[in-house]
Amino acid sequence: MTARRRSYEPDRDFLRVRDFLNETYSAFDAPINWGLERWNYARYFVAPFLGAYGKEGDALEDSLGAIQLWEDMVRIWEDNAGRIVGVVCIETPDPTDQQYGEIFVQRHPDHVDLLDEMVAFGEEHYVHPERNRVYMWAYEDDADLNAVLEARGFARRDEPVLHHLEYAIGELPPLELPDGFRLLTMAEENDIEKRREIFGRGFNHPDPIEWPSAFSYRELQRAPDYHLENDFVIVAPDETYASCCIVWYDAVSRIAHLEPLGTHPDYRRKGLATQIQFAALRRAKELGATHMPMTGGFEPFYRAFGFEERRKEHPWVKEF
Ligand SMILES: CC(C)(COP(=O)(O)OP(=O)(O)OC[C@H]1O[C@@H](n2cnc3c(N)ncnc32)[C@H](O)[C@@H]1OP(=O)(O)O)[C@@H](O)C(=O)NCCC(=O)NCCS
């Protein structure tokens, strides 16, 4: 089978790639491609957030520059009928970031033949400028990718290991919060300042300069698959936000994804993340979701919640 590589055209392609990810998410024996949340999040949050990271105010030009860089680095493969059959991209459009150099390959199950070419594109264009290397994560049961990485001279690292965990959505308990706390969605109170703060504090950043800019949070709210009523916060008795999470729904695969989830350090181990996650799952179930997968989250929390382990993935590194 043949396919043609071309540049990414944001206006034309964002939703087409999203649809491709939804269609292929469950097309493999076990998921291999990104879910729609990661695609939305990469463009509408990670890029603008990193562009302004550590800077005063919105640092608008830097945020827009990071979005542009991210878009410029995406490549699409289309078959003869013009259908997307592969996408290669990065997640972190900042060459000084530790995580830069990671290659993400999204593929169609009928186009294993493109894997080698897609990985080669990443090797050529995504090398970390100082570390002089690229890397990819591969699930241990993804024989095709493991074979391509080995043949191309990548070395598998035994550590660290990530686990694909999954939660089957069955009966869900009603809301139960400590006295004085209440659950809201951003549809009820869209307070961007408080939302930036809980995002920063929830991910252990006490310094406001490291919180998302107001622009990056508004940009996230413009993502096509973001909905205010799927963005949950728990309000503390002093009216600050104590915990937050966003749920994303893929109606094609009937899968819910969570990205991100965090609790302010002053309010941890009170069951708030458990409660907000149940709220997100109740919403997802109303929408039609049957499962929630999770890879790369804080595993002790998800395992305690009831997520079950499915499989492992390892990093593969190629040094130049
Ligand atoms: C992970 C996190 C969201 C948990 O928030 P929380 O509100 O404290 O969670 P809960 O109180 O509902 O914890 C429920 C259970 O999860 C497990 N758990 C939570 N934090 C844990 C920790 N630091 N170490 C080990 N187990 C933990 C425990 O079993 C806990 O029950 P217990 O307190 O009765 O022992 C919070 O620590 C956090 O925001 N961390 C930084 C951001 C992050 O890693 N987010 C998740 C990745 S997407």
Side-chain angles (χ1 to χ4, degrees):
M1 274 187 250
T2 54
R4 189 177 68 89
R5 188 183 92 200
R6 67 166 174 82
S7 303
Y8 170 74
E9 296 171 31
D11 292 344
R12 174 178 163 205
D13 293 326
F14 184 88
L15 290 176
R16 293 181 70 226
V17 172
R18 187 278 313 271
D19 291 345
F20 165 72
L21 295 175
N22 285 354
E23 279 153 24
T24 52
Y25 190 82
S26 302
F28 296 87
D29 291 340
I32 278 173
N33 289 340
W34 276 7
L36 82 168
E37 88 295 356
R38 206 156 178 185
W39 178 244
N40 277 265
Y41 207 67
R43 154 62 183 83
Y44 285 91
F45 187 70
V46 178
F49 169 59
L50 286 182
Y53 189 77
K55 296 170 187 154
E56 295 287 351
D58 275 337
L60 197 56
E61 269 183 35
D62 297 305
S63 275
L64 295 174
I67 293 170
Q68 173 93 53
L69 176 62
W70 181 81
E71 291 172 341
D72 287 348
M73 292 179 86
V74 180
R75 284 298 176 284
I76 287 179
W77 278 255
E78 278 177 346
D79 67 8
N80 290 337
R83 283 181 299 241
I84 294 178
V85 290
V87 177
V88 175
C89 65
I90 60 166
E91 194 175 40
T92 309
D94 173 2
T96 65
D97 193 284
Q98 293 262 1
Q99 288 180 32
Y100 190 87
E102 183 164 13
I103 306 171
F104 293 95
V105 170
Q106 324 292 339
R107 64 197 212 247
H108 191 283
D110 295 343
H111 283 269
V112 177
D113 56 308
L114 295 177
L115 249 185
D116 186 69
E117 186 184 328
M118 292 198 287
V119 174
F121 177 84
E123 285 176 32
E124 204 178 321
H125 294 91
Y126 302 165
V127 179
H128 192 291
E130 274 158 24
R131 299 177 153 206
N132 240 343
R133 57 164 214 183
V134 288
Y135 66 103
M136 277 187 83
W137 285 83
Y139 284 108
E140 59 188 357
D141 56 0
D142 185 354
D144 294 325
L145 182 58
N146 283 289
V148 165
L149 292 174
E150 195 163 358
R152 296 197 63 83
F154 282 70
R156 196 186 98 156
R157 299 259 164 98
D158 289 334
E159 294 286 333
V161 177
L162 293 179
H163 296 95
H164 165 193
L165 308 177
E166 208 154 287
Y167 186 82
I169 306 175
E171 284 303 307
L172 297 166
L175 183 66
E176 196 183 323
L177 291 176
D179 284 348
F181 290 78
R182 64 202 165 92
L183 177 78
L184 281 184
T185 72
M186 297 302 274
E188 294 162 279
E189 178 182 278
N190 194 14
D191 190 323
I192 299 284
E193 288 307 308
K194 288 189 198 170
R195 193 64 181 81
R196 292 173 54 218
E197 179 169 0
I198 185 56
F199 189 102
R201 298 303 311 262
F203 282 85
N204 304 320
H205 296 284
D207 187 345
I209 201 129
E210 294 176 352
W211 301 348
S213 64
F215 171 77
S216 28
Y217 209 82
R218 286 202 197 91
E219 195 63 6
L220 171 61
Q221 295 194 328
R222 286 195 332 111
D225 296 298
Y226 170 96
H227 301 286
L228 291 168
E229 60 274 20
N230 295 351
D231 188 349
F232 293 86
V233 290
I234 292 175
V235 186
D238 68 359
E239 290 298 311
T240 60
Y241 293 167
S243 191
C244 61
C245 86
I246 305 175
V247 66
W248 305 77
Y249 180 55
D250 162 3
V252 177
S253 297
R254 301 185 63 195
I255 296 279
H257 299 274
L258 205 72
E259 179 73 273
L261 165 74
T263 297
H264 191 296
D266 293 353
Y267 296 110
R268 288 186 185 158
R269 306 305 281 265
K270 293 178 185 301
L272 297 187
T274 302
Q275 288 301 319
I276 206 165
Q277 171 134 306
F278 275 131
L281 286 164
R282 284 193 295 273
R283 170 64 45 79
K285 189 177 174 180
E286 270 167 34
L287 293 169
T290 59
H291 288 82
M292 178 178 280
M294 171 61 59
T295 305
F298 179 65
E299 289 192 14
F301 168 75
Y302 292 102
R303 288 178 191 270
F305 189 91
F307 280 69
E308 287 182 2
E309 184 178 321
R310 287 293 157 84
R311 58 220 253 261
K312 294 187 177 70
E313 66 173 351
H314 290 277
W316 289 72
V317 181
K318 184 165 178 176
E319 319 261 359
F320 295 97

